[in-house]
Amino acid sequence: METLKSVIRDIPDFPKEGIIFKDITPLLSNPDSFKKVIDTLRDRYKDKGIDQVVGVEARGFIFASALAYALGCGLVMVRKPGKLPYKTYQKTYSLEYGEDSIEVHQDAFGKNQKIVILDDVLATGGTLTACVELVSKNFEVDLVEVGFLIELDFLNGRQKLGDIPIYSMMHF
Ligand code: AMP
């Protein structure tokens, strides 16, 4: 895990002052690291009977799609507003300043499907909390876990997510 942590690059003051951005591009361009991440996720979920891996736009798509392929299951995209072409359910949530929304197709899941939601970074937890609410309000699914590559412990995003099972591969 220390090897994986070493290929995450800190970019200070991006996208705005005071934020230390966790840049995953060095991890993605290193074949051993990217493979290690997907193999670790595959080993974690391979015996859980997962039907759909849910990826959150945009960096969540990278890991969710590779994991769905590795598990031989489906991929569902949770997207920013106006990107999905079919009928959608929507969830609006508060940001530090203003608000944002996410959407999912109304036919994204079958009844009682087992799902795992993936994103790259757990920061304040706002995005993933909205995603969990979007899915659990509109579908009868079994949310097995939410998974992250990186958890920023000092932001306490885990607390916001309540009692939902959370897995983070790396902690900073
Ligand atoms: P959150 O505050 O948990 O809602 O974070 C929202 C999204 O912003 C996450 O899905 C991350 O992709 C991204 N994000 C937030 N903080 C960082 C950070 N320090 N480095 C990289 N990405 C971040």
Side-chain angles (χ1 to χ4, degrees):
M1 222 35 74
E2 287 312 306
T3 319
L4 279 185
K5 283 176 92 167
S6 73
V7 286
I8 308 282
R9 177 166 56 191
D10 280 356
I11 310 283
D13 299 322
F14 181 88
K16 55 184 180 187
E17 224 177 298
I19 307 273
I20 300 175
F21 191 84
K22 295 291 179 194
D23 178 15
I24 57 165
T25 61
L27 180 152
L28 294 174
S29 60
N30 178 312
D32 293 337
S33 305
F34 189 32
K35 185 170 189 325
K36 170 85 179 148
V37 166
I38 300 305
D39 288 351
T40 303
L41 291 170
R42 180 204 56 208
D43 291 348
R44 184 171 183 85
Y45 296 114
K46 67 177 191 301
D47 299 322
K48 297 273 190 335
I50 303 293
D51 298 296
Q52 302 287 348
V53 181
V54 182
V56 185
E57 186 163 2
R59 288 181 298 273
F61 292 168
I62 300 165
F63 303 101
S65 57
L67 177 61
Y69 179 80
L71 292 176
C73 67
L75 171 73
V76 168
M77 293 189 288
V78 167
R79 299 210 64 179
K80 306 264 165 67
K83 303 275 189 186
L84 288 169
Y86 183 58
K87 286 178 280 184
T88 61
Y89 295 121
Q90 191 176 80
K91 169 83 192 168
T92 301
Y93 60 102
S94 310
L95 295 173
E96 202 177 343
Y97 303 109
E99 48 185 35
D100 210 347
S101 297
I102 47 174
E103 293 185 345
V104 69
H105 272 159
Q106 289 187 8
D107 63 350
F109 304 102
K111 200 170 176 193
N112 298 327
Q113 283 200 320
K114 283 187 149 193
I115 69 166
V116 56
I117 303 178
L118 276 192
D119 203 1
D120 63 336
V121 175
L122 173 58
T124 65
T127 309
L128 246 289
T129 303
C131 185
V132 168
E133 286 173 12
L134 173 71
V135 168
S136 46
K137 182 174 168 236
N138 296 297
F139 300 94
E140 280 178 56
V141 288
D142 177 4
L143 174 56
V144 172
E145 196 163 69
V146 296
F148 301 92
L149 232 63
I150 297 167
E151 179 170 350
L152 303 178
D153 294 338
F154 60 96
L155 290 173
N156 287 323
R158 186 173 277 268
Q159 238 165 12
K160 193 172 212 156
L161 277 160
D163 50 14
I164 292 155
I166 299 168
Y167 167 68
S168 299
M169 200 175 290
M170 289 169 259
H171 290 263
F172 288 90

